[in-house]
Amino acid sequence: MLEHIKAFFAKLPVRNMSKRKVLATVSALVVIVSVVTITAFAAAATYKVTVNEAGKKAYTVSTRADSVEKFVEDNADALSLGKYDYLDTSSFEVGENCTVTVLRAQVIRVIDNGEEHFLNGAGPAAQMLDKHNMALGKFDEINLADNEFVSSDKTLEIKRSFGVTVIADGKSNDVQIASGTVKDAVAQASHSARMTRLIPRSIRSSPTAWR
């Protein structure tokens, strides 16, 4: 491109042109170069995203979205995501040909601290529970791996954490546990003292784990 511009100026009868004409010619060239550059950049920035969904034929979308959120916004009608559906974008990468997967909501059996629920959902358990105002606490435990999604053929089990107070060597420490033993509570409280009794806060107003 630069060589073509140099060649163009070399052929111009600049000495016979007024300053105004030279300026106008240069301005026109700048506009042309800008348009060509922008067009080339736009073409280079276009990439393809394949959309997968169980039971349906995959389709491909051409996009220039600069984020996954923008891609979802631009293709909202085609994706048609319901409140409890989930779009798996773990393989999405801006500027690269990639894939996303639509997971439609299923009925999930949930046992929450012994209480049974049937919830609509898909994808990660934490996100599904958030949508049903049943958010997981920091120390709550579930029976799914970190990268495992909820499924209608597997019951989601939740163990809610509870508070205990560990006392050792005259020092006390409050901890949250969902399961485990006295030893686990002591380890979490960063105490090395040997404990023989653990009392949940739900049982006493000042629960204590005694030496």
Side-chain angles (χ1 to χ4, degrees):
M1 176 66 73
L2 186 59
E3 294 301 321
H4 288 298
I5 293 173
K6 288 180 179 179
F8 176 80
F9 272 110
K11 294 178 181 179
L12 280 177
V14 178
R15 293 180 181 178
N16 299 325
M17 295 174 65
S18 66
K19 290 184 178 179
R20 182 176 295 179
K21 286 184 177 181
V22 171
L23 223 80
T25 303
V26 171
S27 298
L29 277 173
V30 169
V31 171
I32 292 171
V33 170
S34 298
V35 170
V36 170
T37 302
I38 292 172
T39 302
F41 176 79
T46 301
Y47 57 101
K48 295 181 179 180
V49 180
T50 300
V51 181
N52 297 315
E53 181 178 347
K56 292 188 177 181
K57 185 177 180 180
Y59 61 92
T60 299
V61 177
S62 292
T63 181
R64 292 197 299 270
D66 58 3
S67 68
V68 66
E69 292 79 12
K70 179 62 175 172
F71 170 77
V72 173
E73 178 185 340
D74 291 345
N75 296 278
D77 290 340
L79 294 171
S80 189
L81 295 172
K83 180 179 180 180
Y84 300 109
D85 295 337
Y86 179 76
L87 183 65
D88 181 4
T89 58
S90 58
S91 298
F92 184 91
E93 188 172 348
V94 173
E96 300 290 337
N97 294 339
C98 54
T99 63
V100 297
T101 302
V102 177
L103 302 174
R104 298 300 177 186
Q106 305 174 53
V107 177
I108 311 298
R109 181 172 180 257
V110 179
I111 303 298
D112 187 356
N113 261 14
E115 187 175 342
E116 185 178 52
H117 304 270
F118 289 91
L119 309 178
N120 289 320
Q127 290 192 26
M128 180 192 73
L129 293 169
D130 282 345
K131 293 177 181 179
H132 291 278
N133 298 316
M134 295 172 63
L136 291 172
K138 181 178 180 180
F139 299 103
D140 293 343
E141 298 177 355
I142 60 174
N143 62 328
L144 299 183
D146 291 341
N147 59 348
E148 187 177 1
F149 290 165
V150 296
S151 172
S152 60
D153 59 7
K154 184 172 184 177
T155 298
L156 172 63
E157 299 178 14
I158 306 170
K159 291 181 180 179
R160 298 290 180 178
S161 62
F162 57 90
V164 297
T165 299
V166 175
I167 296 179
D169 297 331
K171 297 179 180 180
S172 65
N173 196 352
D174 293 334
V175 297
Q176 292 282 329
I177 60 173
S179 62
T181 64
V182 171
K183 182 179 179 181
D184 297 325
V186 174
Q188 187 170 325
S190 299
H191 285 284
S192 59
R194 183 171 176 272
M195 314 301 290
T196 59
R197 191 180 180 194
L198 185 67
I199 305 176
R201 286 187 190 144
S202 59
I203 298 177
R204 295 181 56 177
S205 58
S206 299
T208 307
W210 299 91
R211 291 184 65 191

